Amino acid sequence: MPKIIEQFRVLIYSGDFDAQIPHTGTEEWTRGLGYNESASWHPWYVGAEGASSVAGYAVEYDVPTEFTFLTVKAAGHMVPTFKPAEALAMVTRFVRGEPY
C-alpha cells in the first residue's frame, strides 16, 4: 500500500455505523502505515453554505500525493446506500481535488 499511496491520490472511507468493517479498525490500519498527519481529525461538511451539516470526520496524512481517511456519519457498510448525498459529496471532492 505505501507504494500506491506515494504515487497516487488515495481516499479510504468508512461508515461509522459499519458493523462488518468498523471504522475504528480502518483508522488503526491507516494510522499504522506510519505517515505523519498533515491535518488531524476534523469535521467535513455537506450542504449549502450556511445550512451545512457534519457529514463525518477526516484525517489527512503527509505524503507526496494525497492520502485521506474519513468517516461518513450514520452510514453502514454500503455508504452510498445509507448516505447518498454525503457519498456523492465525498467522491466529487476527491475527483476535483477539493478539501474535506
Side-chain angles (χ1 to χ4, degrees), residues 16-99:
D16 67 4
F17 285 8
D18 186 345
Q20 292 175 323
I21 303 173
H23 69 91
T24 53
T26 307
E27 177 188 354
E28 184 178 326
W29 174 73
T30 57
R31 189 175 302 282
L33 291 170
Y35 297 109
N36 293 324
E37 294 179 5
S38 59
S40 60
W41 281 106
H42 59 279
W44 68 279
Y45 300 90
V46 67
E49 189 72 30
S52 61
S53 60
V54 174
Y57 295 87
V59 60
E60 298 166 30
Y61 293 96
D62 187 19
V63 298
T65 57
E66 177 185 342
F67 179 36
T68 303
F69 169 60
L70 62 79
T71 65
V72 180
K73 189 174 170 186
H77 189 68
M78 302 296 288
V79 170
T81 301
F82 289 92
K83 294 291 188 165
E86 289 82 347
L88 179 60
M90 173 185 68
V91 171
T92 300
R93 289 182 192 170
F94 180 75
V95 169
R96 293 179 178 170
E98 297 172 353

